[in-house]
Amino acid sequence: MNQPSILKIPLPMLKLIASSSRIHRVHPTVLRPAHDSASPLLRVLSSLVGLSWRNTNVGGRYFFCSGSSDSSDRVVDAGVQAADESESKASAIVPTYPRPEDYLTVLALPLIHRPLFPGFYMPVFVKDPKLLAALQESRERQAPYAGAFLLKDEPEADPSAVSSSDTDKNVYDLKGKELFNRLHEVGTLAQISSIHGDQVILIGHRRLRITEMVSEDPLTVKVDHLKDKTYNKDDDIIKATSFEVISTLRDVLKTSSLWRDHVQTYTKHIGDFTYPRLADFGAAISGANKLQCQQVLEELDVYKRLKLTLELVKKEMEISKIQESIAKAIEEKISGEQRRYLLNEQLKAIKKELGLETDDKTALTGKFRERIEPKREKCPPHILQVIDEELAKLQLLEASSSEFSVTRNYLDWLTALPWGEYSDENFDVTRAQKILDEDHYGLTDVKERILEFIAVGKLRGTSQGKIICLSGPPGVGKTSIGRSIARALNRKFFRFSVGGLADVAEIKGHRRTYIGAMPGKMVQCLKNVGTANPLVLIDEIDKLGRGHAGDPASALLELLDPEQNANFLDHYLDVTIDLSKVLFVCTANVVEMIPNPLLDRMEVVAIAGYITDEKMHIARDYLEKTTREACGIKPKQVEVTDAAILALIENYCREAGVRNLQKHIEKIYRKIALQLVRQGEMIDATVEPIKENIDSDEFGQNTVQNKNSELVEGSDPEKEGETSDKVDKVQTDLSSDESQCLEVAKESEEDKEIKTKTIEKVLVDESNLTDFVGKPVFHAERIYDQTPVGVVMGLAWTAMGGSTLYIETTLVEEGEGKGTLHPTGQLGDVMKESAQIAHTVARAILLEKEPENPFFANSKLHLHVPAGATPKDGPSAGCTMTTSLLSLAMKKPVKKDLAMTGEVTLTGKILPIGGVKEKTIAARRSEVKTIIFPSANRRDFDELAPNVKEGLDVHFVDDYMQIFNLALGDDQSQNIERVINVL
């Protein structure tokens, strides 16, 4: 009886097998020598392949050996050798007992990546020490067989995805029933060829099916040996399918060298070629996923197995075609680039021989020297020294080295900067005043500061750079005034925004050692503007970020310090730059957000916002004119009344800036443009029928005769003679061409008259303003004409400007010892503390004024600040809260048209507040006549423009008792009570 046998596998071949880390392709290298009497299928495959028989050593993880479907199967040496060498080593065959079909209980080996097909090698890694020991013991007992079964994917896993190392580790942890449930039922009886460490070399023999589990650790299962279903070798369908598989293999051979090696080795060493083996071979060496291969392994019907394999091989054919097209495209691209490179090198050599052109390094050096030569006299000595050193270094470097490109870029930046080049400044104060007034209305403080700067520069003969910070709410013109300043000074303008900037390298530059290194923004600015004294606008400086790449606010200290920026050091250039002549203008919405060390280096100019009168002038003189031109509308086509603009400002655009006002004006003019275009289309539609009434003769010429004949026919008999005389005269005086021109001219004039008469002027007034901008957004901030008892108007500052707010206090319940205060209105911690302080101060004053009144001791009070959805915080509402509490306690309303602001202490002192201009503007908007400010804010109020202070009665107080007398004094309260009684 012939028994399966195995040859010793050489160590180099095992190393080659172990070198592969993942199954992708199958390399059939270990096959039995072919018999002379090869099967017809083998002869067909050999004739189709048409390759020379040559020995090929192919390494891989999945190898072909002789199939073992019956007792005559045997395994040969793992190395690919000639037939005579294989026969000479026949004495090394070691018999194994018993036969493979006698194994009905086997150890279960899980396969992760692909199933093992009969007749193929596969190395697997066994991490379970118990399983590895059992395999070693089985091999030593001369029973080296185990069952190799493919693992099922997890239910949520994607079978087409490549498994990661983490997934492999999880699979290795599976044991017992859990592992048994994850195994496919059909696997392969595998001979254990060799074991090296945790790597086991398996050789597939025949198909198995798991019937039940015997033991869990290591997993042992009972199996049934499966045999292929009987089939007719002479069946035409099976033959045709197998020949189609072979034909597809032949097509793949033309494009894939890897498959060519597979089939060449297969046809040289395989014997007893059968249809089942052809199906297994095609599936095993294809690139299909593991589930498709498992489907082929489980199929026992030979014809169906051949069909499945044919699908896989056809798919492989398509992949090979795509691979071939990709390789061809890349090869053409590479060959074209190589050809171009060779031709360029030859061209350079020819030009160098003829003296027509120098090499790259010489040309670069000449370009840099030519660029720096005009600036050499003005350039600082230390800069010239660095440039000369880098030029000498450039000559020594190879053009292909990375250091060469770094040095070239460095020299490019060094020589491109405007060393010592300054633009001629204009110190004409009158001209500057005119330019600033042209671009902006109001902003007296800012304009005065710029004129002072120009005057100092004129007296000194030179201007020293300063750092001016324009602070104010959005839309007041901070950014645009920077452009006007640059135009007034005749300086170059450069703007960069630092809002959200979190990388110090944006300001100080990168180190040159980094890939893609660049200088900072200031060096880029100097290169762009071409002068060393530009005006640099640093926008949104209060919104600096802070990330992992450093603190940009600290990096700006050197840039904005007048004592340090004369020697500003950029990390990329690594040489000092003089920025002392640069005029820096910064913009910020909230100065408190700027770090104090940075704020200390700036001169802050506050822009509080615009009052209604200023907004009217801006809308008329700037916004409306610009918007009308941008929309292509002529002034005579539209009229926007002053009442409409006033309503737009008060009901839609109350914020401090004018950006929202500009948006609404643009909205109005867009709707007007649409209205004008629609009217024009309607006129065109009515004019067309009139033109069609013009008759033309057969030559296409309009004739006066036809037109006049119509007039004659339609006229009265008495006038026929007169009309005919006129017609004859026209016919004799005018030729046909002249009459045509006259007729067309008349028609065009008539069209123009019709259009001029039809297109009406669009009028926008207060009555139809809602048709253009919708319903009003704001309503009157003033809720009460006369504030009732317990209600006082306060003044608040916001980032969008100033606003008025009411503080209301009411009695909840009274009872012995129930004196508490409950504040609401989304108040911050500081404002809640102000409410408690106000409660204490009010109790003390009430005790002094009315000792017998136990109101605060026995009353539960509720203090509320309306607009509860708006967060509010700050101490400046202290005096307003105190007045509200006292008004309720004494049952006296405060004076009419009175608003107040100020922080109150426990002793009744009034401390200064901020935002005087914004609060004053808010009071004027609400038609408040009397304002109470702390005495410390008198200077701030005096600095306001006269039109802002006009018509206001302002009182400055140090102690709360002064507010008490102004708001709740006897004379005022009696007068108010009289007015109320009369009403």
Side-chain angles (χ1 to χ4, degrees), residues 707-777:
K707 187 70 176 178
N708 288 334
S709 63
E710 292 177 5
L711 292 174
V712 171
E713 291 174 1
S715 61
D716 295 335
E718 298 176 355
K719 298 181 180 179
E720 285 183 2
E722 183 182 351
T723 306
S724 61
D725 293 339
K726 291 182 180 179
V727 171
D728 294 338
K729 187 176 180 181
V730 171
Q731 289 176 343
T732 55
D733 292 345
L734 298 175
S735 65
S736 60
D737 294 338
E738 291 174 345
S739 64
Q740 178 185 358
C741 295
L742 180 61
E743 203 59 37
V744 173
K746 287 182 179 179
E747 289 297 333
S748 62
E749 289 177 2
E750 290 174 2
D751 294 346
K752 290 180 181 178
E753 290 177 1
I754 292 171
K755 288 185 179 180
T756 305
K757 291 178 182 178
T758 309
I759 296 180
E760 298 179 357
K761 190 173 186 178
V762 180
L763 178 66
V764 180
D765 58 9
E766 193 174 3
S767 61
N768 64 350
L769 183 63
T770 54
D771 298 337
F772 294 92
V773 290
K775 298 296 181 183
V777 178

Side-chain angles (χ1 to χ4, degrees), residues 411-431:
L411 279 169
D412 191 23
W413 280 101
L414 273 180
T415 55
L417 293 180
W419 302 108
E421 294 185 2
Y422 302 99
S423 59
D424 296 332
E425 285 192 283
N426 192 320
F427 295 114
D428 188 348
V429 177
T430 306
R431 174 181 174 274

Side-chain angles (χ1 to χ4, degrees), residues 827-835 872-874:
L827 310 181
D829 293 337
V830 176
M831 208 162 180
K832 289 178 181 176
E833 292 176 357
S834 296
K872 310 169 193 71
D873 202 4

Side-chain angles (χ1 to χ4, degrees), residues 240-289:
T241 307
S242 62
F243 277 114
E244 183 61 27
V245 172
I246 295 172
S247 177
T248 308
L249 289 175
R250 180 195 62 184
D251 294 336
V252 175
L253 292 177
K254 297 177 182 178
T255 57
S256 175
S257 59
L258 181 64
W259 277 58
R260 192 179 302 125
D261 293 337
H262 292 336
V263 179
Q264 181 181 351
T265 309
Y266 186 94
T267 54
K268 186 170 183 179
H269 294 279
I270 191 65
D272 193 16
F273 201 138
T274 61
Y275 297 121
R277 295 222 184 122
L278 177 63
D280 288 346
F281 172 76
I285 67 173
S286 68
N289 62 43

